[in-house]
Amino acid sequence: MRKLGTIDLEILHLAINENGTFNENNLENSELKRLGVGKLLDALATLKDRKMISLNTDGSFTITELAREILWNDNIPTWARILRLLYIKSCNMEKIEDILKIPKEELLPEIEKLRKNQFVLMSPQRLDEKVIKVYEILPEGIEAIDKTETDGFENTKFGEPKSEVEILSIVDEIQKEIQDTQLEPIKKDSINEKLLKLKDKLKI
C-alpha cells in the first residue's frame, strides 16, 4: 500500500468528491486553500510524481487507479479500508463515511469488529459543546494492515467476541478478587453492586 499523508488524503478526497477530476477552482473553494499556493503546488507535484494524480491538458488533475486502490476500491474489504484510513488520521464516524463513501450501516459492524479485536480504539472527544466518538488505529491494527501487504486480506484472523457466559465468569472472578483486597467495605459494596447490575443485564 502506498503511504499517504493527511494533505495527500485531502487532495485525493477532493478528487473523489469531484467525480475523479478537480481543477484550480475546486482547490480554491476547498479547505486546501489554507495551505497557500506554494505548499499546495508542492503537494500536487509530489502526488503527480508518485503517480497518484495525472495532469490533464486543460490544467486539471485526475486521480489515478493507483490512488483509488488505497481507499476507494470495492475489492478491498471494508475493515481494511477503515484501517488504512485511520492509519493516516483519526476520524469520527461521519468523516469515515464521507471519505470512504461507505454507508454508516455497513461501517458500524466492521468498526465494532475492529474495536473488539483491539485494532481500533474509540475515544469520546468534546467538539463545539458536543461529545463525539473518534476512532484511532492501535498498534495491533497497524500490524494487521501491514501484514495484508504480504499475507493478503483473507488471512487476517478476527477473534470471536466473548460469549455472555465467558463475561459472567470474568465478572465472578473480579468479585472474588475484590473480596481479597484491602478496600474499605463500603467501596467493596459499591463495586459489587455495579457488577451485579452488569450481570443482571447480561442475563436478560
Side-chain angles (χ1 to χ4, degrees):
M1 179 188 74
R2 301 293 185 95
K3 298 295 189 292
L4 295 177
T6 54
I7 294 174
D8 300 329
L9 175 63
E10 278 191 75
I11 294 172
L12 296 179
H13 182 219
L14 174 65
I16 293 295
N17 284 340
E18 299 297 333
N19 295 318
T21 298
F22 62 95
N23 56 31
E24 185 179 346
N25 288 333
N26 299 134
L27 290 168
E28 182 63 28
N29 293 322
S30 74
E31 293 183 4
L32 285 161
K33 66 180 180 181
R34 74 185 186 282
L35 300 174
V37 176
K39 193 169 183 179
L40 186 52
L41 287 175
D42 286 344
L44 291 170
T46 299
L47 283 174
K48 181 175 176 294
D49 289 343
R50 296 176 64 196
K51 303 188 185 317
M52 297 287 183
I53 57 175
S54 58
L55 177 62
N56 302 314
T57 54
D58 62 356
S60 63
F61 293 91
T62 298
I63 187 172
T64 64
E65 287 304 314
L66 182 66
R68 287 181 182 272
E69 285 286 329
I70 300 173
L71 295 173
W72 298 284
N73 186 329
D74 291 338
N75 292 325
I76 297 173
T78 298
W79 64 263
R81 292 163 70 183
I82 294 169
L83 285 182
R84 284 183 172 186
L85 172 58
L86 298 181
Y87 192 97
I88 301 168
K89 62 180 293 186
S90 300
C91 300
N92 59 28
M93 176 60 72
E94 183 180 351
K95 199 67 176 175
I96 295 173
E97 185 179 6
D98 177 46
I99 293 175
L100 296 182
K101 308 303 180 191
I102 298 174
K104 183 177 180 180
E105 295 73 21
E106 184 179 338
L107 289 171
L108 281 172
E110 296 297 317
I111 288 179
E112 185 63 13
K113 177 172 68 176
L114 292 171
R115 192 184 64 78
K116 286 182 177 179
N117 281 270
Q118 298 185 336
F119 289 169
V120 163
L121 174 69
M122 185 282 289
S123 57
Q125 294 184 14
R126 188 170 294 278
L127 179 67
D128 297 332
E129 298 184 356
K130 291 183 179 180
V131 176
I132 60 173
K133 297 177 180 178
V134 175
Y135 298 91
E136 58 184 277
I137 194 168
L138 292 171
E140 292 85 352
I142 293 174
E143 182 181 350
I145 201 62
D146 282 344
K147 278 186 177 179
T148 62
E149 297 299 307
T150 54
D151 299 348
F153 300 111
E154 65 278 359
N155 291 318
T156 300
K157 304 298 182 185
F158 292 97
E160 291 295 325
K162 291 184 181 295
S163 67
E164 289 186 4
V165 174
E166 288 178 290
I167 296 173
L168 287 170
S169 176
I170 292 171
V171 171
D172 288 337
E173 289 178 16
I174 294 172
Q175 285 182 306
K176 290 177 183 176
E177 289 178 8
I178 289 171
Q179 295 306 317
D180 295 332
T181 64
Q182 301 299 316
L183 286 173
E184 296 176 7
I186 190 169
K187 288 186 178 180
K188 287 184 180 181
D189 291 341
S190 175
I191 295 172
N192 278 320
E193 184 179 349
K194 291 174 182 176
L195 289 172
L196 285 172
K197 287 181 180 178
L198 175 61
K199 288 176 71 173
D200 287 340
K201 288 182 179 180
L202 288 170
K203 290 175 181 177
I204 292 175

